[in-house]
Amino acid sequence: MKIETIKFNGSELILLDQTKLPFDEVFIVTSDYNRIAEAIERLEVRGAPAIGVTAAYSLAIEYLHNESEDGFYKAYDRLKSTRPTAVNLFNTLQIMIVYFEANKTSPFIKNELIELAHKIHQEDFDSCERIAQNGIAIFNKPMNVITHCNAGALATAGEGTALSVIKYGFRKGLVKKVFVDETRPLLQGSRLTAYELDKEGIPFEIITDSMAASIMKDGEIDIAITGADRIALNGDSANKIGTYSLAINCKYHNLPFYIAAPESTFDPISMTGDEFIIEQRAGKEISSFRNNAITKETYNFYNPSFDVTPAELIVGIITDKKLYRFPYNFK
Ligand code: MRU
């Protein structure tokens, strides 16, 4: 059954709090854009497509309740400031504001904005299904797969991007086992991807990020697939920190490394990944876990949340439209 990451009850947004997983399934119920912006900043809701869908609903809900043009623009600015790397946030906010500006005199604008957010939600759901279908071609025999972070139902409106390909591959008998990178520092792999694979009954083993190379050398891994937060026009792809190392490890061991993402993750203006803004997060995410210190907080920390994998390390990019092969020409 589809995990309901984001739901709208006609008045409020209901978000599954991902910081509590896999132990507790707790929901945040709110119509307040400041609370929704905080949820995005704290990674209570996370994953590029899920952030985009959440922000679209948040704008629509703000206008539904307050009918204020000023409030709409304030909410837009607040949501835009939450996380800088995942482009879906900016793409969906742009769709919402362009529509609002063109139609704000409509007597039905409140409902039209809600309908537009629903449409963005549904389109992302559909994209996940098409990504699975377009991605199945990467498995030419039953394989052991490695993935990083969480690019599943929790990160999207559907079954996921990289994880939808893996889930579909498993159903077709083409995925034997998944190696799940723990994904330091916030453990999206060992908490969230494991939670999803467990629910699906897909065999998996959690490894620390630093184990991947050695397991590849032992011949245990056939293929790698991850999601993306932003894809440049040349195919350079930003994703959770550690993805670049995984791609380098694949190259060295002659294993294919794939990205799966909807076309809403394309950055229409960045020629290469050098132009991306990489989110820097608090050192506390490294020094502690769930408020338990694991080293001294007074030490210095450097915590970039994403890295950019150069296009030449990515053998293919699976989108809702097609499977592109390197070198990339996204037409
Ligand atoms: O910081 P996060 O957890 O939001 O990072 C998420 C990722 O890096 C995902 O791999 C990416 O957003 C793709 S989700 C389909």
Side-chain angles (χ1 to χ4, degrees), residues 162-188:
L163 268 195
S164 78
V165 176
I166 291 171
K167 289 172 189 173
Y168 192 47
F170 177 74
R171 286 179 211 132
K172 294 267 177 200
L174 293 168
V175 168
K176 292 187 290 185
K177 180 169 78 178
V178 184
F179 285 97
V180 176
D181 271 359
E182 172 187 50
T183 316
R184 282 284 293 150
L186 294 181
L187 313 184
Q188 287 91 334

Side-chain angles (χ1 to χ4, degrees), residues 248-300:
I248 291 172
N249 285 332
C250 284
K251 182 81 175 173
Y252 185 80
H253 294 95
N254 215 6
L255 297 173
F257 174 86
Y258 285 92
I259 290 276
E263 303 237 341
S264 56
T265 301
F266 283 117
D267 178 339
I269 54 171
S270 294
M271 295 306 294
T272 76
D274 294 343
E275 292 161 59
F276 296 168
I277 296 171
I278 300 296
E279 179 180 7
Q280 303 293 326
R281 294 188 62 91
K284 200 161 188 263
E285 292 182 351
I286 302 178
S287 67
S288 64
F289 193 69
R290 290 210 164 101
N291 286 326
N292 291 314
I294 48 178
T295 186
K296 283 191 177 174
E297 274 181 21
T298 49
Y299 292 162
N300 295 325

Side-chain angles (χ1 to χ4, degrees), residues 112-246:
E112 287 169 23
L113 289 172
I114 295 287
E115 281 313 308
L116 188 53
H118 276 323
K119 186 165 170 265
I120 289 168
H121 193 179
Q122 183 63 43
E123 277 174 3
D124 189 57
F125 178 89
D126 296 342
S127 292
C128 293
E129 298 211 333
R130 285 197 295 271
I131 288 170
Q133 282 151 15
N134 294 339
I136 196 75
I138 67 174
F139 306 117
N140 53 15
K141 60 173 188 190
M143 290 181 169
N144 285 345
V145 184
I146 187 166
T147 190
H148 191 73
C149 195
N150 171 267
L154 293 166
T156 62
E159 286 295 348
T161 57
L163 268 195
S164 78
V165 176
I166 291 171
K167 289 172 189 173
Y168 192 47
F170 177 74
R171 286 179 211 132
K172 294 267 177 200
L174 293 168
V175 168
K176 292 187 290 185
K177 180 169 78 178
V178 184
F179 285 97
V180 176
D181 271 359
E182 172 187 50
T183 316
R184 282 284 293 150
L186 294 181
L187 313 184
Q188 287 91 334
S190 61
R191 295 187 304 107
L192 308 179
T193 296
Y195 168 84
E196 286 196 36
L197 293 175
D198 184 41
K199 274 195 185 281
E200 293 281 327
I202 300 175
F204 66 91
E205 280 174 334
I206 299 168
I207 58 170
T208 66
D209 304 349
S210 52
M211 291 173 187
S214 167
I215 298 170
M216 287 177 184
K217 188 172 168 226
D218 292 343
E220 290 286 314
I221 294 170
D222 300 300
I223 193 168
I225 172 165
T226 75
D229 285 83
R230 190 182 281 254
I231 301 174
L233 293 167
N234 73 342
D236 289 354
S237 299
N239 194 48
K240 180 52 56 195
I241 192 81
T243 305
Y244 178 34
S245 319
L246 184 65

